[in-house]
Amino acid sequence: MKFSLEWLEYFLETDASVADIAAALNRIGHEVEGIEDPADKLEGFRVAKVLTAAKHPDADKLQVLTVDTGEGDPLQVVCGAPNARAGMKGVLGLPGAVVPANGMELRKSAIRGVESNGMMCSVRELELGEEHDGIIELPEDAPVGQTFAEYHDASPVFDVAITPNRPDCMGVQGIARDLAAAGLGTFKPVETSAIAASGECPVEIRTDDPEGCPAFYGRVIRGVDNTKPSPEWMQRRLIAAGQRPISALVDATNYLMLAFGRPAHVYDLAKLSGAVVARRAQTGEKVEALNEKTYTLDDTMTVIADDNGVHDIAGIMGGEHSGATETTTDVLLEIAYFDPTRIGVTGRKLGLASDARTRFERGVDPEFLDDGLAILTSLITKTCGGEPTEVVRAGQPPVTAQTIKFDPRLTERLGGLAVPQEEQRAILTSLDFTVGDDWTVTCPPRRHDIEGPADLVEEVVRIHGIDEVESKPLPRRPGVALPTATPLQQAERKLRRAAAARGLNEAITWSFLPTAEAEHFADGAELWVLDNPISEDMKAMRPSLIPGLLSAAKRNADRGADGARLFEIGRRYFRGKDGASDEKPTLGVVLSGEKTPRGWSNGKTAKFDAYDAKAEAMALLEAAGAPVGNLMVMGEAGDQFHPGQSATLRLGPKNVLARFGALHPNTLKAFDIDGPVMAAEIFLDAIPAKKGGGFARAAYSPPALQAITRDFAFLVPADLAAGDLVKAVRGADKKAIVDARVFDVFAGHGVPEGKKSVAVEVVLQPGDKSFTDEEIKAISDAIVKNAAKQGAELRG
């Protein structure tokens, strides 16, 4: 929310500096996101008087002016504005000044052969409004030579983030009240005087939806003149708040909303027919809103309508065809209280946001109907003239005041501040709470955020100063602190270090995906789709970490990166059997682009292959504590992977710990990334927990005796996986055999067709005594016997 210092001082009598005000706002919970001083933009612009105006010798629409700047000799300026003439006063931009509207730096230049020393400026060029038909005309008493920033009384603008629980501060008046309570000045409430009414309101006003619109007030003003612009002071304040002045009538409603946090609406009476009613919409009804979009409504939404149909999506946006224009002479003013929940639901259904919705769905002041209507009436009649009628009041706003039994000792117990009771009473009173002698506190109806004593403690602490809360260390147990990380958290930390040590770069991607990308990796599982996503392109919770890493790899490639080695530890999301969200911890890896660059020793660049993905998966599983020596390599990695270049790693036939391999060309096409791309996904929830074990690792005890090796060459079926043979060999004697690995594979001359030769090196580790020849032979026979179960026979 933006507002100028000038506007704030209308409600707050203060001599505090801009820096002091900003510090106070931050201290009491209203974060200042920025401060902009328009005087900086207007540097180099000054009040000047046109002395002479003559036709340009080479351009019909240009004039050559001599301009008095208040110092030195007059300057020559070329100007194309039709209203430029001798004797007028305007705003001159000197060479070196930067035009706020377009960022152009003014320079001394020649225009059609005539020297020009700056530019006479229009309203739009200085971002003071939309008018651009001519240059600014200043009053006769404007002092020539004065800087325009000083003459215009440019006021610093605060940009403040208002938290959703403080709708009472979504108007400048509420901000001023909080600052006054914080000791930054004296609050100046706006006094509303009685409006002299001329007859009864000719329009029937009622509410047929008391749940959605408990109160609906209105009156007619006849004989308004909407051709005049709103007052300069009003336009200045609206522009500071980021609003574009539109017309006197519309500007008055915007001013009421920004100054007092109270949205209202003006209808052209000539465009209404019959009674004006707050009612439920009929399913299928349509309305064209002020944003020129048509919305289809349903019967859960509250609307403002007449005999001809809907004119207004209640509390959110008015209709296009009933708004006031320059030809409007009679208007109906509407000010109402709408149910915040209904407004929020309607806005989300329609995907429609507005300043009015922001305020109504958080809860406006239900007591401010009469005063708000009186202020709006006064603003309009002073600017546009007209005669107001009596007010019609339909329904009753929920103005029942909440009372809370408060114990001032809670402030120290909950807030950590020992604030004297009289100071607490003064703080609450300054915030418009009524405090009884027995500490029964009556809350103003606009404070929807106050629900109990703890909220009152918060009010006292933030105004007294939360910085005054003393920092105290928490008590600690004697000795070594107990570990607080869970086993899963410890495993994730270890995996991050292990992945980084292997040259992988950690990525953190969105947990949301476009629905099409999520379905591509769902593997038939039901997706968890959000009802209220941050974007329509990010609706589905990710069923895999690979899509996000693929998008990251593509972004790197699009920006010229030769290769990407990415990993991420996060959660996959599914809809559980009972309908609840099911989260599964996972580690994902994506390898794309160049594995090694071209060079004199290796020639061409090398690409990643499925074995690189397998190596990453095996290494990270080992770091996670998985029994990698017992893993089975099996297929069925998923449709997203290339069927001939992928596999799964399992403990037993059903427990899948990881999948790895080359991604399928269809997957690469769906994500618009060039291949080949390798990926691995480790399912951390599937890794079995370690049994037993204490805090300390067992002492390292090297074997007393040297290990021996034996080589075996087997003829095996050509389609037998070498891993299955190695597993059979290791199982021949789990105590004596500590390692086994393939060191040669051969097929061709001397090997029968349909067979291949696989050579395996076996490491035997003796225990407390050396192996005898008989023991070694027995182990060898067991190895050959186990290998035979896989269809292998020992080569002669």
Side-chain angles (χ1 to χ4, degrees), residues 28 177-178 180-183 406 411 417 419-435 439 441 447 455-465:
I28 62 178
R177 182 186 289 108
D178 261 20
F406 183 59
T411 302
L417 274 177
V419 183
Q421 292 192 12
E422 288 310 309
E423 183 181 347
Q424 295 191 50
R425 184 185 296 273
I427 288 173
L428 293 173
T429 302
S430 66
L431 292 171
D432 220 13
F433 293 87
T434 302
V435 184
W439 285 96
V441 179
R447 292 303 302 270
D455 298 312
L456 297 177
V457 170
E458 180 184 350
E459 293 300 294
V460 172
V461 170
R462 73 180 183 88
I463 297 299
H464 177 82

Side-chain angles (χ1 to χ4, degrees), residues 708-712 743 760-764 773 776 780 783:
I708 63 172
T709 61
R710 289 292 183 269
D711 295 343
F712 298 83
F743 68 88
V760 180
E761 179 187 75
V762 180
V763 180
L764 306 177
D773 290 342
I776 294 176
S780 298
I783 290 174

Side-chain angles (χ1 to χ4, degrees), residues 164-342:
N165 66 321
R166 293 302 305 277
D168 60 301
C169 286
M170 298 201 75
V172 184
Q173 184 186 55
I175 295 286
R177 182 186 289 108
D178 261 20
L179 286 172
L184 232 68
T186 304
F187 179 60
K188 299 188 294 184
V190 174
E191 300 293 337
T192 56
S193 55
I195 303 292
S198 176
E200 295 184 355
C201 180
V203 179
E204 180 187 357
I205 296 174
R206 68 175 193 269
T207 175
D208 292 348
D209 181 15
E211 293 181 358
C213 179
F216 185 17
Y217 292 8
R219 74 170 0 137
V220 166
I221 303 179
R222 297 185 184 277
V224 299
D225 180 5
N226 197 33
T227 60
K228 301 177 183 177
S230 55
E232 190 272 336
W233 62 265
M234 182 182 292
Q235 292 194 35
R236 188 169 62 245
R237 294 175 185 179
L238 292 176
I239 291 170
Q243 290 281 344
R244 178 175 61 89
I246 299 172
S247 68
L249 291 173
V250 175
D251 290 354
T253 61
N254 286 337
Y255 181 84
L256 184 76
M257 176 180 66
L258 296 171
F260 301 95
R262 161 54 71 174
H265 194 64
V266 173
Y267 297 93
D268 187 333
L269 188 62
K271 299 175 182 178
L272 301 177
S273 176
V276 177
V277 185
R279 62 167 173 83
R280 292 286 185 95
Q282 298 175 11
T283 299
E285 275 190 305
K286 295 184 177 182
V287 60
E288 183 182 0
L290 286 171
N291 60 3
E292 300 182 352
K293 294 182 180 180
T294 299
Y295 295 91
T296 302
L297 312 175
D298 64 39
D299 59 4
T300 67
M301 303 174 182
T302 302
V303 297
I304 309 298
D306 65 1
D307 292 349
N308 290 332
V310 176
H311 288 284
D312 190 352
I313 305 171
I316 300 180
M317 189 171 288
E320 175 69 23
H321 57 281
S322 60
T325 64
E326 289 187 356
T327 61
T328 298
T329 57
D330 301 327
V331 294
L332 171 67
L333 309 187
E334 168 252 300
I335 191 165
Y337 182 86
F338 299 107
D339 175 60
T341 302
R342 181 81 60 82

Side-chain angles (χ1 to χ4, degrees), residues 509 513 517 521 542-553 568 572 586-590 637 640-641 659-661 663 667 671 677-683:
T509 65
L513 294 174
E517 293 184 7
F521 277 83
R542 62 185 180 192
S544 169
L545 271 62
I546 295 176
L549 292 173
L550 279 178
S551 298
E568 180 177 12
R572 297 178 298 135
T586 308
L587 186 152
V589 175
V590 163
Q640 307 86 7
F641 288 82
R659 58 177 178 170
F660 67 88
L663 292 178
T667 301
F671 286 82
V677 177
M678 307 300 139
E681 203 162 28
I682 298 174
F683 310 123

Side-chain angles (χ1 to χ4, degrees), residues 7-163:
W7 202 349
L8 178 66
E9 290 178 340
Y10 179 76
F11 296 102
L12 182 70
E13 185 177 333
T14 181
D15 56 1
S17 67
V18 171
D20 289 340
I21 293 173
L25 286 169
N26 285 320
R27 187 172 65 248
I28 62 178
H30 304 306
E31 181 184 359
V32 177
E33 295 186 323
I35 301 174
E36 179 182 314
D37 192 348
D40 296 338
K41 289 185 176 181
L42 298 177
E43 185 177 356
F45 296 89
R46 64 176 57 186
V47 177
K49 182 176 182 178
V50 180
L51 300 177
T52 64
K55 186 176 178 297
H56 192 289
D58 292 327
D60 293 338
K61 295 184 178 181
L62 297 179
Q63 297 187 77
V64 180
L65 313 178
T66 55
V67 181
D68 181 11
T69 64
E71 58 182 35
D73 296 331
L75 297 179
Q76 180 173 280
V77 177
V78 176
C79 180
N83 65 331
R85 64 189 184 279
M88 72 172 292
K89 292 183 178 179
V91 181
L92 172 67
L94 295 171
V98 177
V99 180
N102 54 26
M104 178 180 69
E105 182 179 349
L106 299 179
R107 299 178 180 177
K108 181 186 293 187
S109 61
I111 301 178
R112 294 287 185 94
V114 177
E115 183 182 277
S116 181
N117 297 277
M119 181 177 75
M120 298 297 289
C121 301
S122 69
V123 170
R124 178 185 286 181
E125 287 163 341
L126 297 186
E127 293 186 337
L128 302 177
E130 293 300 312
E131 186 180 346
H132 63 285
D133 294 335
I135 58 176
I136 297 172
E137 293 192 46
L138 299 179
E140 283 295 325
D141 60 354
V144 175
Q146 186 178 29
T147 64
F148 183 64
E150 184 178 350
Y151 173 79
H152 186 62
D153 195 21
S155 179
V157 176
F158 298 89
D159 188 356
V160 179
I162 306 298
T163 53

